[in-house]
Amino acid sequence: MAEIISVRFRSEGKQYYFNPQGLVCHPGDGLIVETAGGVEYATCVRGNFILAETELAAPLRPVLRHATKEDMQVVERNREKEKYAFRVCQEKILEHNLEMKLVNVECSFEGNKILFFFTSEGRVDFRALVKSLAAIFHTRIELRQIGIRDEAKMLGGLGICGRPFCCASFLRDFQPVSIKMAKTQNLSLNPTKISGTCGRLMCCLKYEQEAYEDLMKDAPRMDSFVETPDGAGTIISVNTLREKVRVRLDSEPDSLKTYHNSEIRVIRSGKGKRPEGYVEPPKEELAKLRKVTESPEDQYRREQAALAAALDDFMAEHGSRQQPESHGGHTSRRRRGDKGRKAEQAEKALEAAVEREKEKQEAKEKSRRRRNGGHGKKETPAETESVKQQPETPKTPAEGKKEGASRRRHRGGRGRGHGAGAPNPEQQAAPQEKAKKPTAPAEDKSEGGEKKNHRPRWHKRGHHRGGGKPTPPAEG
């Protein structure tokens, strides 16, 4: 593993790896590096990172130092020198009457070499031009012929899509582009529509070529004879991305119908004669080829039904539905459009149904308590289930009368010796006691000074909230 950095010498140039030699570099930093042509100024594109040595082609050249203010001044002087050299070279080209177009000029950091880039349709004899330029600048002169794509990369500009050139912004290497790519993608073969500003085929044709090649493996060919759910016909056009074809049916030659690739059966691929002895299958068999597609509305209804079923299962398991967190009176989820309103209506209807079910359960619980006299404790679901499971034993008439008399005595009497419906002395004295002390119960003190309640022990021990239904003692 080796620690390296990535730098670029020009804004449109390639990226190169260098050895930082312990220096910490950040993107955008100016660096002075050592190259095969001497010392050069470069801009850091990617800071220190680790890369396997097997991925490095050759030993990396080192980074000498970070660029100083003096180095930046040298770079500015070189830029001014490049502009001056460009004007002088154009004048000399006209003077020597050479068929060449000057594109760009680069001056080395040390100023010992000037590089001129030009384009030309053929070979150019520029030996006289080199001597004239060397006599003016007194340095090494180098002329390099480049292609038209390299010219567009250096100059930059806007493509027909309205964006900057790919080669001048992010594309570093030119990939081969052929007219076959335009045919595969069903593009118009008009040169003005598939060519870039440089006059060559657009580099973006290469971007989607692999996707089209994968789709074309399963797509039928043009002019193929196929069977469709509506009958046999011939393919007129193929939409590769949507995986659909347009077919002219033999039974309806004046109309075209569109089918998915999975809905057709290829009988003859490409152009050719119709298969001899071919008999079209019956309509019932062809109808099996039709692919049933679910509309967005049906899919939405199915999802809502599944959600309602899940909520019902949750209610059956937990007994209550958790409300969604709200903020400012609105739910945290945002719904827009008709689908959102339908979802809210469905959820409100579901909540109303849940509330009605809860009210029914509460009403049943209240009625059960009234039937039990209102004195028993609230039974748990397990106790209720156990009571339901116990078979009821039929009672004799004598036992029924005895139980009824005992229940009347228990409800009506307040003390020992009072029959059903007999007034209690404590109840007669209650208004006077409440006038004096509304909240104090009627109490009496024994000889020992201890407070003693008038209620008998059997009533206090048995007749309290949640205590069940005790049987009063037998009357003496």
Side-chain angles (χ1 to χ4, degrees):
M1 305 298 288
E3 183 180 7
I4 61 175
I5 63 171
S6 178
V7 302
R8 184 183 297 158
F9 295 98
R10 295 286 177 173
S11 59
E12 71 282 352
K14 297 181 181 181
Q15 296 183 15
Y16 298 91
Y17 293 151
F18 279 84
N19 184 5
Q21 292 187 340
L23 295 177
V24 179
C25 305
H26 302 281
D29 293 349
L31 303 174
I32 304 299
V33 298
E34 181 182 349
T35 65
V39 178
E40 292 290 343
Y41 171 82
T43 303
C44 180
V45 178
R46 184 179 178 184
N48 302 58
F49 65 98
I50 304 300
L51 189 65
E53 295 182 358
T54 56
E55 299 182 12
L56 302 177
L60 300 180
R61 294 186 177 274
V63 176
L64 300 180
R65 65 179 186 276
H66 286 280
T68 61
K69 293 183 179 180
E70 292 76 9
D71 297 331
M72 299 303 298
Q73 292 177 2
V74 173
V75 173
E76 292 297 331
R77 288 197 298 268
N78 291 336
R79 298 293 181 267
E80 296 295 333
K81 188 176 181 180
E82 290 173 358
K83 295 179 181 179
Y84 174 70
F86 189 88
R87 294 194 300 268
V88 172
C89 185
Q90 282 185 328
E91 296 176 357
K92 295 299 179 180
I93 289 174
L94 296 176
E95 181 180 345
H96 291 83
N97 195 16
L98 297 176
E99 295 181 358
M100 55 187 299
K101 178 183 176 182
L102 185 63
V103 176
N104 195 12
V105 178
E106 292 183 3
C107 183
S108 63
F109 178 76
E110 297 176 341
N112 55 0
K113 183 178 67 173
I114 301 178
L115 184 61
F116 296 88
F117 298 93
F118 71 95
T119 59
S120 177
E121 296 181 358
R123 296 180 60 88
V124 180
D125 185 5
F126 48 77
R127 290 176 293 182
L129 178 61
V130 172
K131 293 180 180 180
S132 300
L133 295 175
I136 296 175
F137 296 104
H138 303 285
T139 186
R140 180 182 175 184
I141 303 298
E142 183 177 346
L143 275 73
R144 184 175 300 175
Q145 186 175 359
I146 60 176
I148 191 171
R149 286 192 173 185
D150 296 309
E151 177 186 2
K153 181 177 181 179
M154 289 184 176
L155 299 179
L158 298 178
I160 59 175
C161 59
R163 297 179 60 86
F165 292 160
C166 297
C167 56
S169 55
F170 64 89
L171 192 63
R172 302 307 169 200
D173 296 326
F174 292 108
Q175 299 178 352
V177 183
S178 62
I179 194 65
K180 182 180 178 181
M181 297 180 180
K183 294 180 180 179
T184 304
Q185 301 175 24
N186 294 329
L187 299 178
S188 174
L189 300 182
N190 188 351
T192 59
K193 294 185 178 181
I194 60 177
S195 300
T197 308
C198 60
R200 300 292 188 268
L201 292 175
M202 292 187 296
C203 299
C204 55
L205 294 178
K206 182 67 176 178
Y207 301 161
E208 301 177 359
Q209 181 63 19
E210 295 182 359
Y212 274 92
E213 290 177 355
D214 292 339
L215 294 174
M216 288 295 292
K217 293 178 181 178
D218 300 329
R221 298 174 61 184
M222 189 77 69
D223 299 328
S224 297
F225 182 73
V226 296
E227 292 177 351
T228 67
D230 300 324
T234 305
I235 295 178
I236 302 303
S237 63
V238 180
N239 191 330
T240 308
L241 292 180
R242 295 182 181 273
E243 298 183 356
K244 293 184 178 181
V245 295
R246 300 189 70 184
V247 181
R248 176 183 286 115
L249 300 177
D250 294 346
S251 59
E252 301 176 7
D254 296 335
S255 61
L256 300 178
K257 292 189 176 181
T258 304
Y259 301 95
H260 194 269
N261 292 348
S262 60
E263 295 180 331
I264 63 175
R265 183 187 300 159
V266 179
I267 304 300
R268 184 204 66 215
S269 180
K271 294 182 179 180
K273 296 181 180 180
R274 186 166 179 167
E276 297 180 1
Y278 171 77
V279 179
E280 184 176 340
K283 295 291 185 181
E284 293 78 9
E285 183 178 351
L286 293 177
K288 298 179 181 179
L289 296 174
R290 189 176 300 279
K291 180 181 178 182
V292 180
T293 57
E294 188 178 16
S295 63
E297 292 78 9
D298 295 339
Q299 183 180 3
Y300 175 74
R301 295 191 190 97
R302 179 176 55 79
E303 292 177 355
Q304 290 299 318
L307 177 62
L311 289 175
D312 292 341
D313 296 341
F314 180 82
M315 287 295 302
E317 182 178 357
H318 299 281
S320 62
R321 180 173 178 270
Q322 298 180 356
Q323 298 291 337
E325 298 181 0
S326 59
H327 178 71
H330 300 279
T331 57
S332 59
R333 295 181 297 174
R334 295 184 178 181
R335 300 185 179 94
R336 298 181 180 179
D338 295 339
K339 292 186 178 181
R341 287 191 290 271
K342 291 180 181 178
E344 291 180 356
Q345 293 175 2
E347 188 172 352
K348 289 180 180 179
L350 182 61
E351 292 178 358
V354 172
E355 293 296 335
R356 288 196 297 269
E357 187 66 24
K358 292 174 63 177
E359 292 176 0
K360 290 181 181 179
Q361 295 293 339
E362 292 177 359
K364 290 181 180 179
E365 184 68 20
K366 289 181 180 179
S367 63
R368 186 183 63 79
R369 291 181 181 178
R370 285 197 297 269
R371 289 196 302 268
N372 295 339
H375 298 289
K377 64 178 181 178
K378 187 176 180 181
E379 298 178 356
T380 60
E383 295 175 353
T384 306
E385 186 68 22
S386 63
V387 171
K388 289 182 180 179
Q389 294 178 358
Q390 295 178 359
E392 296 183 358
T393 306
K395 299 180 180 179
T396 61
E399 292 177 353
K401 291 181 180 180
K402 184 177 180 180
E403 184 179 354
S406 177
R407 185 179 294 112
R408 286 195 298 272
R409 287 196 302 271
H410 175 66
R411 291 181 180 179
R414 287 293 183 181
R416 187 184 301 274
H418 295 283
N424 194 347
E426 294 181 5
Q427 294 179 355
Q428 295 179 358
Q432 297 178 2
E433 293 294 334
K434 288 181 180 180
K436 296 179 181 180
K437 296 180 181 180
T439 59
E443 298 178 353
D444 192 8
K445 291 186 178 181
S446 62
E447 296 179 359
E450 298 179 356
K451 294 182 180 180
K452 184 177 180 181
N453 198 334
H454 285 287
R455 295 182 179 179
R457 177 177 294 180
W458 68 267
H459 189 279
K460 182 178 180 182
R461 184 171 57 251
H463 187 65
H464 59 84
R465 185 175 299 277
K469 298 179 181 180
T471 303
E475 296 181 0

